[in-house]
Amino acid sequence: MHVPDGFINAPVSAAAGVVAAGAVAVSLRGARRELDERTAPLAGLVAAFIFAVQMLNFPVAAGTSGHLLGGALAAILVGPYTGVLCVTVVLLMQGILFADGGLTALGVNVLDMGITTTVVAYALFRGLLKVLPKTRRSVTGASFVAALVSVPAAACVFTLIYWIGGTTDIPIGKVFTAMVGVHVLIGVGEAVITALTVGAVIAVRPDLVHGARGLTSSLKLRIDGELVDAPAPAAAPAAPVAARSHRRIWAAGLVTALVLAGFVSYYASSSPDGLEKVAADQGIDKKTEEHAAKDSPLADYGVKDVSDARISGGLAGVIGVAATVVVGSGVFYVVRRRRTPDAPADPTRDKESV
């Protein structure tokens, strides 16, 4: 759903940029409370993983594809404020390095793909957890529903923005119907990817999943055929084990992102994504402008002067993952270091999860 330059007029693009900048500023402050010594490195990895998976377009209908937006996944794994920053870093890397998403439309894209998806998904996720049993399956199921809803919600926000500042005279009802229709299908793919990823992390390190914190389940023992609460174990200095586990998770996640972007992306669908298809069918792309970074050596997710498509796309993916994890980790390290006494770490971070 990357909006290119020329879809939205200058005043509305500027207004969206102001709103997006304000939301990012709020998120920078809020992320100080979400990030700790364990999750700050994970946040940079989440941004890189979202970048990688966004390269994997999957078919959703005849001649149309979709890809992960990532707001729901980021919010559930590392928190809503940090999630907004994760998606913003991805959009910056895509716009500057790969000419994907207009630079004048960056505010629109951050507002639509970053803020809308994160806020909608996390609000729905927390609401579902209030009524569902406090189990790992509930977290995974709530992740699925939240991600599913977040994508058509973003389509609705784009339609609203286009209604206010679109550069072509197209009946807004047609745009709304087409956008929501195709993005409901894309939302199913988003939901599957999000639920599988959240479930995988919960299975090995539930304490790293922000959305699962505070969900405790006491250990049960079966005595004479009845389940009773086990006595609380004595505290043990498990920090070195946890640190090693954290490093393994980080390394496994980075390798996965590199493989997805550097190899699997070659087999992604080449069909236009949901917004591109709707724009072509409805004629809202008539005033699309050339991207300011169209001459970037990585434009269109290929390395300039590398003729082999497989190698070119793979190298571009690997470079993108590396750049995103470096920039993202740098941002979150600075945010973590700037924590002030009035912005304590998440008070639930030390609770046993799920």
Side-chain angles (χ1 to χ4, degrees), residues 241-292:
V241 176
R244 290 196 297 272
S245 176
H246 179 274
R247 287 194 293 268
R248 287 196 295 268
I249 291 291
W250 196 93
L254 180 60
V255 170
T256 301
L258 289 171
V259 170
L260 291 175
F263 176 74
V264 180
S265 62
Y266 179 77
Y267 301 97
S269 173
S270 60
S271 298
D273 66 22
L275 177 58
E276 292 172 335
K277 179 65 172 176
V278 171
D281 289 347
Q282 302 298 325
I284 65 177
D285 60 351
K286 294 178 180 178
K287 295 187 178 181
T288 303
E289 301 172 1
E290 287 191 337
H291 199 287

Side-chain angles (χ1 to χ4, degrees), residues 158-284:
F158 168 80
T159 304
L160 176 62
I161 294 173
Y162 188 81
W163 181 46
I164 298 171
T167 54
T168 56
D169 187 17
I170 304 298
I172 196 63
K174 292 184 177 180
V175 176
F176 174 80
T177 301
M179 283 293 293
V180 173
V182 71
H183 284 91
V184 166
L185 299 177
I186 295 173
V188 175
E190 177 104 8
V192 171
I193 294 170
T194 300
L196 288 176
T197 304
V198 171
V201 179
I202 285 179
V204 292
R205 283 295 301 273
D207 59 303
L208 294 180
V209 179
H210 179 92
R213 292 176 180 178
L215 299 180
T216 60
S217 178
S218 58
L219 181 64
K220 301 287 186 178
L221 295 177
R222 186 175 297 278
I223 300 177
D224 295 332
E226 296 184 1
L227 290 176
V228 298
D229 290 337
V241 176
R244 290 196 297 272
S245 176
H246 179 274
R247 287 194 293 268
R248 287 196 295 268
I249 291 291
W250 196 93
L254 180 60
V255 170
T256 301
L258 289 171
V259 170
L260 291 175
F263 176 74
V264 180
S265 62
Y266 179 77
Y267 301 97
S269 173
S270 60
S271 298
D273 66 22
L275 177 58
E276 292 172 335
K277 179 65 172 176
V278 171
D281 289 347
Q282 302 298 325
I284 65 177

